[in-house]
Amino acid sequence: MKNIVYERSINNSGKKVLSINHKLFYSIMSMSCLYLFANPILKCIGQVSIICIFMLCINDLLLRNQKIKLNDLWICFFVFLSYSIIFLMRNLTINAVYSCTLQVIILIPICLYSSITLEKKSIDNIFKGGKILYFILLIPAIIIVFHGKNNTVTMFNEYFSLAIYKIMFPCTFFFIAKSKIKLFKIIIFSFIFLAIGERTAFLCLYIIYITYIFLGHFKYFKFICRSFFKFFCLCIIMFPYIYVKLQYTSLGHWLNSISIQYTGGNFFSGRNRIWEVALEYFLKSPFFGYGFDNNILASNEIFLSTHSTYIYLLLQGGIIGLIIFLLFMCSIWNNYLNGLNDDIVRMSAAYFIGIMVLACFELTLIINSITISLFLWLVIGIGFIQKNNKSSIFKIQ
């Protein structure tokens, strides 16, 4: 009798994400893309959609607070929250409050996804929605491919931000995750990204495939998987320093010429200058950084973002702040390890690595481009949801 009741409770919750119907949830997610349009009405609709997602997170947290298990993911989130609040007190300004609030609230969805189950049909519907969104975004991308990037980019700039193409990257997950010809699709998608100038997405797709293969071989060896992630995090921390130093070496000049020859763009795209200045200031305050509302780049006449989530965190909270964030990411990785025998979970874990690589070159996941971040966290969260589904089935049987 207990088994029957448990099965019904899962079926009842198997159609909802953030306590609303999964179709409505994904519709709101899709409408958030409108925030990247120039039209004020469309932009407003997109902004309202983003706010709705965050309000739904808070509502879901209140409705299910007694059912949500306090796991290591939530513990790391609360550590990140506490550290952020302490650092906010350091320079309490309107911009600092905005940045702190945004960084904290953007992490709540992935924590909530860790306690959601969805029936197969509901997951299939979300996958269909992701594919539809990709094809919609593909239309202007195809125009860019066939008419030349430069002129077309200027034309579309009047209608929407070019950042909208970055949403295509997480949407590729919905084509690849359940496919039997993953490598073939990755090759197709990667060359589309290369053709529209998204070199980072091109690179990340192959890193995702390599990670997927690696996890397939070592899915039953948790120690190896954990060690891999720790080494990966170390590489992420060291990469900006190596990248900056490379520009002054013969190897760096060779890489730059190769990049120009095969991709049409410099290997040192300007991030080397931004990161060099950022790292100089980081060394002056390595442990605690300069707080949320620092203007280090602007004071050096650099009026661009850091173009790296990790550099941004280093300037904001020093190495301690970055380590706390990486511990949160580590807790996400560890949550995958019990479900790697499932193809969707394994591909979601592989995308998680690819997304972390993407964050090396983009200011995303916790700040800026919130629409893109929401889709990136959804792809990461799909693996959690699928793992929960398998665990629920096992418990019922």
Side-chain angles (χ1 to χ4, degrees), residues 251-289:
L251 175 60
H253 294 308
W254 178 77
L255 289 172
N256 198 58
S257 62
I258 291 294
S259 178
I260 293 172
Q261 181 179 352
Y262 290 102
T263 70
N266 287 304
F267 179 75
F268 299 103
S269 57
R271 288 180 176 87
N272 50 308
R273 167 59 181 158
I274 297 172
W275 293 357
E276 188 170 25
V277 171
L279 289 175
E280 286 175 2
Y281 276 85
F282 159 69
L283 292 174
K284 295 176 183 178
S285 181
F287 296 105
F288 302 106

Side-chain angles (χ1 to χ4, degrees), residues 140-151:
I142 289 296
I143 295 175
I144 288 178
V145 172
F146 286 101
H147 290 81
K149 290 188 296 185
N150 296 329
N151 294 333

